[in-house]
Each structure stands twice: as structure tokens, then as C-alpha cells.
Amino acid sequence: MLSCNICGVTVTSEPDMKTHLLIVHMENEVTCPFCKLSGVNYDEMCFHIETAHFEQNELEKNFERINTIQYGTSNSRKDSTLQCRMEVNSSIHSACASNHPKISAQGPPNNGILKHKGFYSENLTESRKFLKSKEKQSDRTKIKGSIYEAMYSPPECPFCGKIEGCSQDVETHVKTEHADLLDTPLEDCNQPLYDCPICGLICTNYHILQEHVDLHLEEGSFGQGMDRVQCSRDLELAQQLQQEEDRKRRSEESRQEMEEFQKLQRQYGLNNSGGYKQQQLRNMEIEVNRGRMHPSEFHRRKADMMESLAVGIDDEKTKTSGIMEALYRYYQNAATDVRRVWLSTVVDHFHSSFGDKGWGCGYRNFQMLLSSLLQNDAYDDCLKGMSVPCIPKIQSMIEDAWKEGFDPQGASQLNNRLQGTKAWIGACEVYTLLTSLRIKCRIIDFHKSTGPLGTHPRLFEWILSYYSSEREGSPKVVCISKPPIYLQYQGHSQTVVGIEERKNRTLCLLVFDPGCPSREMQKLLKQDTEASSVKQLRKFVGNLKHKQYQIVAVEGVLSSEEKIARRQASQVFTAEKIP
């Protein structure tokens, strides 16, 4: 810490002391401390004091020395400060003059002394007050100079604190060691000035300017380094947050994908939850626990199921026969709003049971189709000795067709396994099984709507052309020799057993739904079939609005060569599309 010996202000460094001296004590107006003379430069003021106030100036110095001796150590710091103010003033003024080339060249005021501004006015006023107080102590002025010399405290440098023997030595020291601190750039000085390009500070020395700018650059580099470090940390944090977010997103997507996959597995019976046998036993146990089935009935049905599974033939518990004959009678005697109706060959209805409820519609529709083929003499050669198989047997038959080489893509999608599962089957599996039995059939894909409001009128027209091709004459009820049609759409399948042409020229399909229980189907077997019972079989154009429909239509029997050709064609399975 440095203390100004002129005004007592404390600063922290030499550059701060230099700035203080320049601004406070060297750039203010010079005023004579004895007679208030002003408006002259520094050298002229010095000349004025030395000539007009010589005695008063010497008296002030003596008073200062006497005060130091009189008050001893108690006031030594204060008096030393005052003394230093006076002596350093002289030293600073002399040093400033010596550091400017014009001063040494010009000399006294008459020779154009270099202009300097005086001391701070407040310090001068303080000096006058000090002199007045000393005049009141006139008895102290009689103390001899020898006493002062004996008790004198050596002066010290105001910048570095070095102690010298007298004020002249201090002045010399300041001139030689701290000349750079006393340089005052003046407008009329020929010395070149250098402006800092960053903060605008004026420097008289190029090397000082270079050091000053280097400090700016170091500060900027440090700030930029800190900014780069902060940016690097922010970037690293952002990357970590992004990676964490991506990891959570991938985890969530994987979880959702797995849930969807498991949902599809459950929906299509591929979740290893058992097959027909396990579901049949589990549902019968639930019925017993709920009191809807007697235990003896449970054991009887279980025995019948085990026997059916052993021989591979359906136990006919869900079978309803004679419906086609009942429909023929109904259309002959009633249905006045129907212009003409075409009915397929005899078909037995099979509905879902405890063992296949929710997933067995494809198998039940195959049973209906096969029951019609078994009653048609045209197919005796390829179905000789066969009965309607149970669902596990149908699964085994489809697996055998896959082993022969039919539809490898479909087999791969179902993991080449159906037995012991609740896997759904559709038009492709029914086509594969029929072809493996040498039954000629085709798949027609109505892949998009062909009518208003998402309807499929082309589907109805195709089925009408299929059934009406054997029309003989124009009776109201036409029984043809063609088997029913397998109809598949998203989530369900049905069997088309006929088609109506109504008096308003609209078409209506007659379908067997495996979801319809036997008690409802048996209502059609009454002597006087009611229209409400037939209503559950009717499907108008406005009732079929699914996006896509597929049908499997049987057209005859295949030869061995045709079977091999169709097996080869099924390597890349394609269907006929309409439109």
C-alpha cells in the first residue's frame, strides 16, 4: 500500500499513485498559499514564492520541524505526514520538471518555462490554515535550527519508502528511480503519444503500451479460455442429456414394441399359452367353479374330448345339420321380397367351443367347407375315407402341407408350428390345406373398396356370378352343386352358403358364422321358419365395410401334376386381386 504524502490518500500500486498525482496534484489550477495569486504556471508560481514570500516559506518549514520536535512520538506520524507533504511537493515538482525536455531547455519563467499545473486547492487551503495556527504559537519559532538538525527524522520516498538523508536526495531518487511515474503527457509536448486500441489509455512509451496491451490480451485469453471451458462443459452436459434422452426413448420404444408384439402373440395364439386341449379343460373347470356345470358333466366331456383328440375326428358337439334343407323350404313358401336365391350344396354348421373360443373361427369354417365337400360325390376320390377332423388334427394337416413344401413364407410366419398353440389361420392356410388334398381352389383378394362408403359391391357381383353360372331355367330357389365359399376379413371369417337377389335388384349374402351358437341355428330347423331367424344369416352390401376381404372358392379336383405345379407356385404366394 502506498500513501500520498501530499493529501494522505492511500493507493494499492505505483500506477495508481501515478494516476493520483497526475489528476489530483498536477492538473489543477496553481494558487499561491500565501497571497492567493493564481493564473500563472507552475514555474512562475515557484519563482513568485521564492521572491515574494521567502521568509514565510522558510518560517513554514521551521514550524513543521519544530512541531516534530515538540510533540514527539504521539504526533510523529501526523507531523511526518505534513512535513513529507511539503518536502515531497518540492521533490515532485523538481522531478516533473526534470523529466520534460522543455524544462531543462528553458530555465526561469522569462525563458518560457514548461507549463505545469499546481497543487490541489484543498491542500493549499490546508497549508494556510496550518500557517495561521503556527503564528499563534510564536514562542516556538525561537527554537534554533541546531535543535531541528539534532532531532530531524530523515525523509522517505513516497513511492517505494526508501529513506534518504535529506530532501535533495529524495528528489534525486524520485527523478532517477520513478521518473516514469512522473511523466505527464502534454498537448504541446513533442514526445510521441500512444493510444491503447482497447481502452484508449494514453502512454508516452511504446514499451509501456505493449505491456499494457499484453495485459488486456492475457485477460481476454483467460476469459476466452474460461468461456471455452464453460462451453465445453455445457456441450458435454448437453451430449449427456441427449444420450440419456435417446436411451430412454429407445428403451420406451423397445418396451412398447415388445408389448405390441406380445399383444399380437396373444391375439394370434402364439404366446405359448397352450392350445385347444388346455383351453377346453381350463374353461370347463371355470364353469364347474361357477356352478354352471356339474362335476360329472365335466368328466364326461373331458373323456369325450380325449377320445376325439385320439382319433382326430371332431366330436360333433358343436355341429348343426339340416339347415340348407330348412332354407330351401323357407324360400319356397315365404320370403316374398326375394326375387331369386341360390343355395350351395349341403353344409353343416360348426360353432366355437370352450377349446377354441376367440381364435378357432378359421378352423370351424374349414370344417363347414369340408363337410360340404364330403357330401359331394365329385370329391370322393381325393377325400376318400375322411371325416371332419377336430381342430388339433386340422393343425397337424396344415403342418404336413408345409412339410410338403406348400407356402414356406406362411409357415415361417407361424414358426412352422400350429399344434399346441392357439394360432389363427386364414385364407392362405385354408388354400394350402385344400391344395395339399388335391382340391382345386383359388384365392380372390378384394383389397380395396369398390363402392361408396367403403362398401364392396364387386365382391357381391363375383359371388353371384360364381353361384348363378349353373342356373337352369328361372326358378325362385336354385340349389347348385358348388360348395360354399370361405370368406376372410380382418379378425374373423365366415362361410358363404348362398346369395339372394331381391326384388329391388339388391344382393344379399347368406353366411354361416362360427360365432353363432347352436341354439340360434337350430331355430332355422323349425317347421315354419320365421323371417327373424333367417335375418341372422343375411349380409347386405352395407354390412361389409372392412378394408379388405379374401375368399377361397373351390372349383374341382387337381391332378397330381397340377398339385405339384401349385406347390411350386406357392413358393411366392400370390392371390388374384379385384379390382
Side-chain angles (χ1 to χ4, degrees):
M1 298 292 289
L2 301 176
S3 178
C4 177
N5 288 326
I6 299 174
C7 64
V9 173
T10 302
V11 295
T12 58
S13 62
E14 289 187 3
D16 292 340
M17 177 61 74
K18 173 184 175 181
T19 303
H20 171 74
L21 290 173
L22 290 175
I23 295 175
V24 176
H25 301 301
M26 297 183 70
E27 294 183 3
N28 289 299
E29 183 179 2
V30 180
T31 303
C32 177
F34 304 107
C35 66
K36 298 183 180 180
L37 176 66
S38 62
V40 296
N41 61 32
Y42 169 76
D43 294 322
E44 292 173 344
M45 180 58 68
C46 291
F47 181 79
H48 165 74
I49 293 174
E50 291 295 328
T51 56
H53 306 290
F54 175 77
E55 295 181 356
Q56 290 176 296
N57 190 29
E58 289 296 321
L59 182 62
E60 181 179 351
K61 292 181 180 179
N62 292 334
F63 284 161
E64 189 172 334
R65 295 168 185 165
I66 294 169
N67 188 56
T68 302
I69 299 172
Q70 180 72 19
Y71 292 98
T73 58
S74 62
N75 293 328
S76 61
R77 185 175 184 85
K78 179 178 179 180
D79 295 341
S80 175
T81 301
L82 294 174
Q83 175 184 352
C84 289
R85 286 183 184 177
M86 301 303 295
E87 292 184 356
V88 172
N89 287 345
S90 175
S91 301
I92 292 175
H93 301 161
S94 301
C96 292
S98 64
N99 283 325
H100 290 280
K102 288 187 178 182
I103 296 178
S104 59
Q106 291 174 358
N110 294 333
N111 295 330
I113 300 173
L114 178 64
K115 294 183 180 181
H116 278 272
K117 293 189 177 181
F119 301 113
Y120 194 56
S121 59
E122 181 180 349
N123 296 333
L124 298 178
T125 304
E126 186 179 14
S127 298
R128 288 194 294 268
K129 292 181 179 179
F130 174 77
L131 289 175
K132 291 180 181 179
S133 63
K134 292 303 180 178
E135 289 176 356
K136 296 180 180 180
Q137 303 175 4
S138 58
D139 56 314
R140 297 175 185 173
T141 59
K142 297 179 181 180
I143 299 178
K144 302 296 182 180
S146 58
I147 300 176
Y148 166 74
E149 293 296 334
M151 302 300 295
Y152 172 67
S153 177
E156 63 180 64
C157 176
F159 300 115
C160 63
K162 182 178 180 181
I163 300 175
E164 298 289 349
C166 62
S167 60
Q168 288 77 9
D169 293 339
V170 173
E171 179 180 352
T172 303
H173 168 75
V174 170
K175 289 180 180 181
T176 56
E177 301 297 332
H178 307 292
D180 58 329
L181 299 179
L182 301 177
D183 273 345
T184 305
L186 299 176
E187 296 180 357
D188 58 347
C189 182
N190 294 328
Q191 184 176 358
L193 303 178
Y194 304 93
D195 294 344
C196 174
I198 300 175
C199 66
L201 178 69
I202 299 176
C203 300
T204 58
N205 188 294
Y206 175 76
H207 297 289
I208 295 177
L209 175 64
Q210 185 175 7
E211 293 178 0
H212 172 75
V213 173
D214 289 341
L215 290 175
H216 279 301
L217 297 177
E218 290 177 3
E219 293 176 357
S221 299
F222 178 76
Q224 292 176 1
M226 292 300 293
D227 291 342
R228 284 194 295 270
V229 171
Q230 185 64 33
C231 290
S232 176
R233 292 177 179 175
D234 292 344
L235 179 60
E236 182 179 356
L237 178 60
Q239 291 175 345
Q240 292 177 355
L241 294 176
Q242 184 64 39
Q243 292 174 357
E244 181 68 17
E245 183 178 350
D246 292 342
R247 185 188 65 79
K248 290 182 179 179
R249 178 179 53 79
R250 288 192 298 268
S251 176
E252 181 65 19
E253 289 177 353
S254 300
R255 185 188 64 80
Q256 292 179 356
E257 183 178 351
M258 180 59 66
E259 289 180 355
E260 290 294 329
F261 179 69
Q262 293 175 353
K263 182 179 178 181
L264 290 174
Q265 282 186 321
R266 290 192 300 269
Q267 180 179 354
Y268 292 100
L270 299 175
N271 58 344
N272 297 322
S273 60
Y276 177 86
K277 176 182 176 180
Q278 291 80 3
Q279 181 171 320
Q280 178 85 1
L281 293 174
R282 185 164 52 249
N283 287 335
M284 287 195 303
E285 289 174 356
I286 293 174
E287 291 296 306
V288 172
N289 294 333
R290 293 176 178 177
R292 293 197 290 249
M293 180 183 293
H294 196 273
S296 61
E297 179 70 11
F298 169 81
H299 291 290
R300 186 182 64 81
R301 289 194 180 188
K302 179 179 178 181
D304 293 342
M305 180 193 68
M306 298 303 293
E307 182 181 356
S308 173
L309 295 178
V311 298
I313 299 175
D314 187 78
D315 57 10
E316 299 184 350
K317 299 292 184 181
T318 64
K319 175 183 174 181
T320 303
S321 301
I323 299 176
M324 299 305 296
E325 293 83 352
L327 290 176
Y328 180 82
R329 291 192 303 268
Y330 168 76
Y331 285 110
Q332 285 284 12
N333 302 323
T336 57
D337 55 345
V338 176
R339 180 173 177 268
R340 187 173 291 123
V341 61
W342 290 267
L343 299 176
S344 70
T345 57
V346 178
V347 182
D348 296 328
H349 178 267
F350 290 83
H351 70 84
S352 299
S353 65
F354 286 135
D356 62 286
K357 186 177 182 180
W359 58 273
C361 60
Y363 302 96
R364 294 302 182 180
N365 284 301
F366 175 77
Q367 287 178 332
M368 296 183 202
L369 179 57
L370 187 61
S371 70
S372 178
L373 296 177
L374 290 173
Q375 299 180 61
N376 192 329
D377 296 338
Y379 300 95
D380 286 344
D381 183 45
C382 55
L383 300 176
K384 188 174 182 179
M386 182 179 290
S387 300
V388 176
C390 62
I391 289 180
K393 179 62 175 178
I394 297 174
Q395 292 176 325
S396 175
M397 294 169 65
I398 295 175
E399 289 180 357
D400 292 341
W402 287 342
K403 292 176 183 178
E404 288 185 43
F406 287 95
D407 189 18
Q409 293 181 352
S412 176
Q413 291 176 0
L414 295 172
N415 297 323
N416 295 286
R417 176 173 173 262
L418 288 176
Q419 293 187 82
T421 71
K422 292 182 273 189
W424 295 15
I425 62 171
C428 294
E429 287 72 34
V430 172
Y431 172 88
T432 297
L433 180 53
L434 291 174
T435 305
S436 69
L437 296 174
R438 289 197 308 113
I439 296 176
K440 184 179 180 180
C441 56
R442 58 193 289 204
I443 294 182
I444 312 297
D445 184 9
F446 298 88
H447 58 96
K448 64 180 181 178
S449 171
T450 55
L453 303 177
T455 58
H456 293 263
R458 292 285 297 276
L459 170 63
F460 285 74
E461 293 171 3
W462 193 95
I463 294 175
L464 177 62
S465 64
Y466 173 81
Y467 281 125
S468 63
S469 61
E470 294 185 5
R471 179 171 52 186
E472 297 177 0
S474 58
K476 179 179 180 182
V477 182
V478 181
C479 293
I480 59 176
S481 61
K482 288 188 176 181
I485 297 174
Y486 179 93
L487 176 64
Q488 176 76 50
Y489 54 91
Q490 178 63 37
H492 195 45
S493 60
Q494 296 172 330
T495 300
V496 181
V497 298
I499 185 170
E500 295 178 349
E501 184 183 18
R502 304 178 77 82
K503 290 184 175 180
N504 59 2
R505 297 296 181 176
T506 60
L507 300 176
C508 178
L509 299 181
L510 298 175
V511 300
F512 282 179
D513 191 338
C516 185
S518 295
R519 63 179 179 272
E520 295 295 331
M521 300 300 294
Q522 289 174 1
K523 293 179 181 180
L524 297 169
L525 303 179
K526 295 180 181 180
Q527 188 67 31
D528 296 326
T529 304
E530 297 179 358
S532 60
S533 300
V534 180
K535 183 178 180 180
Q536 64 183 339
L537 304 181
R538 290 190 171 111
K539 298 294 180 183
F540 293 94
V541 175
N543 298 128
L544 302 183
K545 292 186 177 181
H546 285 273
K547 181 179 179 180
Q548 181 180 14
Y549 289 89
Q550 290 179 336
I551 62 173
V552 179
V554 176
E555 297 179 332
V557 179
L558 294 173
S559 64
S560 299
E561 293 78 10
E562 290 176 330
K563 177 183 175 180
I564 295 173
R566 294 210 172 191
R567 181 180 62 192
Q568 185 64 29
S570 70
Q571 301 299 309
V572 180
F573 204 96
T574 57
E576 180 183 348
K577 291 187 177 183
I578 297 177

